Amino acid sequence: MSTTPIRVYLLDDHEVVRGGLRALLEGAGDVEVIGESGSAVDATHRIPALRPDVAILDVRLPDGTGVEVCRAIRAVDPTIRALMLTSYADDEALLAAVMAGASGYVLKEIRSSDLVSAVRLVASGKSLIDPSMTATLLERIRVGPTSPPELASLTAQERVLLGHIAEGMTNRQIAEVMFLAEKTVKNYVSSVLSKLGLERRTQAAVLASQLIR
């Protein structure tokens, strides 16, 4: 058994949940919780400074999302492994988490022993996705690249965003379902319009509705 404990940081807006996770993980014997917070902004600053082996991130937070935190901390330090913990089996959140560099995505209903195993697995450098969500992810990845040639210049994230524009969603609504900051969505929209040679959002919506079936 390793003499060096796995260093873990907890992010969840519910103090009771954090307390339960801390007790569970530290009771495992080989895990040390080195920090915790209930705020996305706080976690984004503290996690890179503490450099945990694994950051357990709640997906939905009052001031942001765990996906945004994952993206931000891994941009600073790619050695930090992120394990997303959520109450919702959400396809968009799963894809967003994987694209942000998360090593695992599990539901909060996971058994205690399985969560400890998940932390150990992620800390060892392996990836883990809840089995109930694996099929969905693989299917989305499989069908993702088969987009119309007109959209070849767009990234996977931009194609998803274009689909939401076609549905008539506002930047705020898109930000919520894609787990991005509203400012980031605005930048994505500008990029999509530029790449497609369009000037207005309505033009993009019309084009998307014709191309995306």
Side-chain angles (χ1 to χ4, degrees):
M1 200 164 165
S2 174
T3 55
T4 305
I6 299 169
R7 303 169 75 251
V8 172
Y9 190 97
L10 304 175
L11 170 60
D12 193 291
D13 59 318
H14 294 102
E15 188 175 351
V16 173
V17 173
R18 295 199 307 273
L21 288 172
R22 176 185 283 273
L24 168 67
L25 294 171
E26 294 195 330
D30 59 343
V31 179
E32 176 189 3
V33 177
I34 61 169
E36 62 177 71
S37 58
S39 153
V41 172
D42 183 48
T44 300
H45 289 99
R46 294 189 65 202
I47 293 175
L50 291 172
R51 299 191 66 194
D53 300 307
V54 179
I56 298 180
L57 311 174
D58 188 14
V59 172
R60 298 175 187 270
L61 299 158
D63 64 336
T65 73
V67 173
E68 290 173 348
V69 174
C70 174
R71 187 181 296 111
I73 64 175
R74 284 184 54 78
V76 176
D77 187 347
T79 67
I80 298 173
R81 315 284 293 180
L83 177 62
M84 314 306 297
L85 193 61
T86 179
S87 304
Y88 312 94
D90 186 324
D91 295 351
E92 290 293 340
L94 171 59
L95 280 171
V98 172
M99 292 174 72
S103 299
Y105 188 106
V106 295
L107 302 179
K108 284 184 178 177
E109 61 199 44
I110 188 174
R111 291 188 310 175
S112 298
S113 59
D114 289 343
L115 179 58
V116 174
S117 297
V119 170
R120 290 172 179 149
L121 205 68
V122 167
S124 72
K126 297 175 183 174
S127 293
L128 171 85
I129 298 174
D130 189 296
S132 67
M133 307 183 82
T134 303
T136 300
L137 175 64
L138 292 178
E139 177 65 11
R140 291 289 295 273
I141 291 175
R142 186 184 69 77
V143 302
T146 60
S147 60
E150 292 89 341
L151 306 182
S153 64
L154 302 185
T155 65
Q157 191 90 316
E158 288 169 342
R159 286 197 294 271
V160 172
L161 178 136
L162 182 60
H164 291 318
I165 291 177
E167 294 169 1
M169 296 175 70
T170 64
N171 283 359
R172 181 180 293 274
Q173 291 171 325
I174 294 173
E176 289 176 358
V177 300
M178 291 187 69
F179 297 88
L180 296 168
E182 194 171 346
K183 182 179 179 182
T184 302
V185 171
K186 189 178 293 186
N187 291 338
Y188 269 130
V189 171
S190 298
S191 174
V192 167
L193 293 178
S194 175
K195 287 182 177 181
L196 296 178
L198 304 175
E199 295 180 359
R200 293 188 299 278
R201 187 190 189 97
T202 49
Q203 293 174 312
V206 171
L207 176 64
S209 63
Q210 293 172 343
L211 297 177
I212 302 174
R213 301 298 179 195

